[in-house]
C-alpha cells in the first residue's frame, strides 16, 4: 500500500501511484522496518529533477522492481525541498561514501536510520542487482552492514548527524 496519496508535496504526489509501497518520512516507517527487521531505502529527490523522473520510470514504476523493494525493505520517499534537513544529513553521508552527490539520492539504512550504502541514480539493472546484494548482505552479513553504518556515522560527525525522523 503506497502511503503518498495524502502528501502535500508535488514530488511525493508524483510517486503516489507507484507500485512501490512508499512511506513518507515518519517514525511509523522506521517502526515498520524495526518490526519487519528489514533495511530502509530512503529515496530523496525533487519535482523538477530529470534523473529522479528517469529512475522513477525505470525502477519505481516497474512491478518487478517494486516487488523486490516491497518484500525486503521499507521504502521512504523524501522531497528534498520539503525536508532539506533530511536531505542535508543523507547528502553528507552520500558524499562521504561516493565523493559526490546528487539526485535522486538513494540511501540504504538500518531501521534506526543509519546509512550503510549510498548513491545517486542507478540504472534499473544496477538497481536490481543492488537490491539483491543488500538483501543478501542484510541476511548473511548483518554485523558487517551495521559496522559499515557506524563507520559512516563516525566519519560524518557522530550519531546526532543521522537517524530516524527526529
Amino acid at each position: 500500500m503506497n502511503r503518498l496519496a495524502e502528501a502535500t508535496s508535488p514530488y511525493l504526489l508524483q510517486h503516489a501511484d507507484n507500485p512501490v509501497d512508499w512511506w513518507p518520512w515518519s517514525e511509523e516507517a522506521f517502526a515498520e522496518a524495526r518490526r519487519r527487521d528489514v533495511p530502509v531505502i530512503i529515496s530523496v529527490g525533487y519535482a523538477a529533477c530529470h534523473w529522479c523522473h528517469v529512475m522513477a520510470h525505470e525502477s519505481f514504476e516497474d512491478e518487478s522492481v517494486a516487488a523486490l523493494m516491497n518484500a525486503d525493505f521499507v521504502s521512504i520517499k523524501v522531497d528534498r525541498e520539503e525536508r532539506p534537513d533530511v536531505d542535508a544529513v543523507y547528502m553528507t553521508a552520500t558524499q562521504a561514501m561516493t565523493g559526490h552527490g546528487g539526485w535522486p539520492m538513494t540511501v540504504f539504512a538500518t531501521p534506526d536510520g543509519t546509512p550503510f550504502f549510498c548513491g545517486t541514480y542507478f540504472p534499473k539493472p544496477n538497481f536490481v542487482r543492488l537490491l539483491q546484494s543488500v538483501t543478501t548482505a542484510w541476511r548473511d552479513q548483518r554485523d558487517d552492514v551495521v559496522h559499515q553504518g557506524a563507520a559512516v556515522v563516525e566519519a560524518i560527525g557522530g550519531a546526532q548527524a543521522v537517524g530516524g525522523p527526529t
Side-chain angles (χ1 to χ4, degrees):
M1 174 179 108
N2 185 318
R3 294 161 180 81
L4 301 182
E6 301 298 316
T8 57
S9 157
Y11 179 65
L12 297 186
L13 290 171
Q14 289 173 353
H15 296 275
D17 293 327
N18 292 168
V20 174
D21 182 13
W22 289 118
W23 292 73
W25 181 261
S26 63
E27 174 52 41
E28 293 80 12
F30 290 94
E32 178 67 6
R34 289 189 296 274
R35 185 189 71 74
R36 290 178 47 204
D37 191 29
V38 296
V40 176
I41 297 173
I42 303 166
S43 177
V44 183
Y46 59 103
C49 168
H50 170 76
W51 289 106
C52 298
H53 292 288
V54 172
M55 190 163 177
H57 178 68
E58 290 178 354
S59 294
F60 305 147
E61 295 172 8
D62 183 279
E63 295 282 346
S64 64
V65 176
L68 291 171
M69 293 174 71
N70 296 342
D72 297 319
F73 302 89
V74 168
S75 301
I76 301 173
K77 182 58 84 174
V78 177
D79 181 343
R80 70 175 291 263
E81 295 175 327
E82 183 179 69
R83 293 302 308 260
D85 55 330
V86 173
D87 177 65
V89 167
Y90 289 108
M91 185 59 72
T92 299
T94 300
Q95 290 171 336
M97 282 190 190
T98 67
H100 66 276
W103 300 274
M105 180 173 28
T106 305
V107 177
F108 290 86
T110 63
D112 69 356
T114 301
F116 59 83
F117 187 86
C118 302
T120 54
Y121 163 75
F122 292 100
K124 179 183 171 183
N126 301 28
F127 190 57
V128 168
R129 282 193 303 275
L130 180 57
L131 292 170
Q132 294 165 337
S133 295
V134 170
T135 297
T136 299
W138 186 256
R139 183 187 63 231
D140 300 341
Q141 299 170 302
R142 176 87 54 101
D143 290 344
D144 294 335
V145 169
V146 171
H147 178 73
Q148 170 70 18
V152 171
V153 170
E154 184 177 328
I156 64 173
Q160 61 274 32
V162 298
T166 56

